[in-house]
Amino acid sequence: MLSISDVTVTIAVLKPTPILGGFGKPLILGSSTAGKDFKNYADIDAVKADYPASTEEYKAAFALFAQKNPPAEVAIISRKTGASPVALVDLLPTLFLKDWHFLLTTTTTVEDLILIADAVEADKSRQFVARTSSKADLATIKAKVYDRTAVIYHTTVNNYPDAAWVGAVGSLPVGSVTWKGWTLVGIAPMDIDASELNAIHALGANTYVTKAGTNVTSDGRAVSGEFIDFIHSQDFIVFSIQYAVQDLFNQAQAALSKIPYDNRGIAQIESAVRTVLQRAYLQGMIAADDDGVPLYNTTFPPRSQVDPAQVAARNYPDGQFEFVIAGAVHTAVIRGTIKFA
């Protein structure tokens, strides 16, 4: 994630009326008497060198790496709880300076989950995936209406179904998949009926069930009801545009040049934005119209239309982009007719 930049990107989500989504890297947040610093691991053997198989951090990492599409790298940090302990509320702000996107934690205490989810929601650049076996805790979490926290409910949580879910989906190309319908290696399905499944969904959670003989995640939503892949796609596009335009500035100085404040320079900035949007379309984030044309647009007014005070300050504030999210099909209603002649 970029922490220092000359580029600000904002995005507004326009919901339709009834008629008319390094970005997969997980961070495991654990705790121990002595604590351990933030560190990256490329495989489970490397994790085991620092965290024995009996530790919760190892169990979470094992669930991540056991999946069919595991992340290339996992980060782990263990909060110190012994002498001179580090409070969770003090540690969380420092984590957002590190390189990761999906946060997992070894704790299932609802107070800790709320504290973590609040921090992730306020930061607006990461996502938190939690697990619980308590429907009462689900109700407490649902009341917060988080967009950036998703919860998987399961009666067995010591094998980390949350980590398995992130390991199965999180590292695939952003926008190419939805989080519903994934088989999780090492996780047993819940033996529940449709009524209980609907009740779990009503509590803002997802779970793991059997559908048509295959064990799959029951949905792919955050606590608020927003889709996990939508938030992931949104973050990807904002970050990628910020990075692309900042890189444009950086490359200009590397070439002993500059981005001129005229229509040539403005066109370079717009081109960088459109390149990101085209990439987002190719990855499945942006929809196409009936003719197969990507549904995105950019508006970058020429210098003549920019406030002279902004020109004097060397700030270009008027670039805009919009796109139609592709989404995914999660359910279907199909009607048939039987004829006798």
Side-chain angles (χ1 to χ4, degrees), residues 36 39-41 45-52 55:
K36 289 184 184 292
K39 184 176 177 180
N40 296 315
Y41 299 89
D45 290 335
V47 173
K48 194 171 185 179
D50 288 342
Y51 295 93
T55 62

Side-chain angles (χ1 to χ4, degrees), residues 168-227:
V169 194
S171 295
L172 293 171
V174 182
S176 66
V177 294
T178 173
W179 286 59
K180 179 179 180 178
W182 283 88
T183 298
L184 307 180
V185 176
I187 307 300
M190 292 277 287
D191 184 12
I192 57 176
D193 59 21
S195 295
E196 185 172 0
L197 177 60
N198 290 337
I200 292 168
H201 287 170
L203 287 168
N206 310 269
T207 189
Y208 194 57
V209 295
T210 303
K211 295 183 179 181
T214 301
N215 301 331
V216 293
T217 49
S218 64
D219 210 336
R221 294 178 186 263
V223 173
S224 67
E226 188 56 88
F227 292 105

Side-chain angles (χ1 to χ4, degrees), residues 3-4 23 54 58 64 83 117-118 143 161 198 215 220 233 245 258-259 319:
S3 57
I4 300 175
F23 259 78
S54 60
Y58 176 91
L64 281 164
D118 281 348
N198 290 337
N215 301 331
S233 295
V245 178
K258 65 179 181 179
I259 307 300

Side-chain angles (χ1 to χ4, degrees), residues 50-303:
D50 288 342
Y51 295 93
S54 60
T55 62
E56 295 302 310
E57 292 87 349
Y58 176 91
K59 294 173 186 177
F62 184 87
L64 281 164
F65 283 120
Q67 305 310 307
K68 295 180 180 179
N69 308 295
E73 191 174 55
V74 170
I76 306 178
I77 186 169
S78 182
R79 180 174 62 89
K80 185 179 181 181
T81 59
S84 302
V86 177
L88 182 58
V89 69
D90 295 328
L91 177 64
L92 286 169
T94 69
L95 298 183
F96 296 109
L97 303 176
K98 305 292 186 179
D99 176 29
W100 56 274
H101 188 81
F102 292 108
L103 182 59
L104 299 160
T105 183
T106 57
T107 182
T108 56
T109 303
V110 70
E111 291 81 8
D112 289 343
L113 299 183
I114 291 291
L115 194 61
I116 295 168
D118 281 348
V120 170
E121 201 75 13
D123 179 74
K124 299 184 185 302
S125 71
R126 318 297 170 93
Q127 291 173 272
F128 175 38
V129 181
R131 72 199 188 285
T132 185
S133 59
S134 168
K135 290 181 182 177
D137 288 352
L138 286 181
T140 301
I141 296 168
K142 179 178 171 57
K144 302 288 285 188
V145 199
Y146 296 120
D147 281 336
R148 294 181 169 275
T149 293
V151 182
I152 186 164
Y153 171 82
H154 204 291
T155 52
T156 302
V157 295
N158 60 4
N159 57 354
Y160 289 86
D162 50 340
W165 198 12
V166 172
V169 194
S171 295
L172 293 171
V174 182
S176 66
V177 294
T178 173
W179 286 59
K180 179 179 180 178
W182 283 88
T183 298
L184 307 180
V185 176
I187 307 300
M190 292 277 287
D191 184 12
I192 57 176
D193 59 21
S195 295
E196 185 172 0
L197 177 60
N198 290 337
I200 292 168
H201 287 170
L203 287 168
N206 310 269
T207 189
Y208 194 57
V209 295
T210 303
K211 295 183 179 181
T214 301
N215 301 331
V216 293
T217 49
S218 64
D219 210 336
R221 294 178 186 263
V223 173
S224 67
E226 188 56 88
F227 292 105
I228 300 168
D229 60 290
F230 174 81
I231 299 297
H232 200 196
S233 295
Q234 175 182 302
D235 289 350
F236 177 88
I237 290 174
V238 169
F239 172 84
S240 296
I241 290 176
Q242 183 182 14
Y243 182 92
V245 178
Q246 183 64 57
D247 187 58
L248 180 67
F249 294 161
N250 295 347
Q251 293 303 317
Q253 65 86 20
L256 305 180
S257 183
K258 65 179 181 179
I259 307 300
Y261 207 135
D262 58 21
N263 293 345
R264 295 171 300 163
I266 293 170
Q268 289 181 60
I269 297 172
E270 182 174 21
S271 177
V273 173
R274 293 187 68 87
T275 296
V276 170
L277 294 174
Q278 180 64 17
R279 179 178 166 196
Y281 163 69
L282 294 173
Q283 287 187 206
M285 287 172 249
I286 296 176
D289 65 16
D290 291 345
D291 296 319
V293 178
L295 289 169
Y296 65 79
N297 187 48
T298 55
T299 303
F300 282 70
R303 174 178 169 140

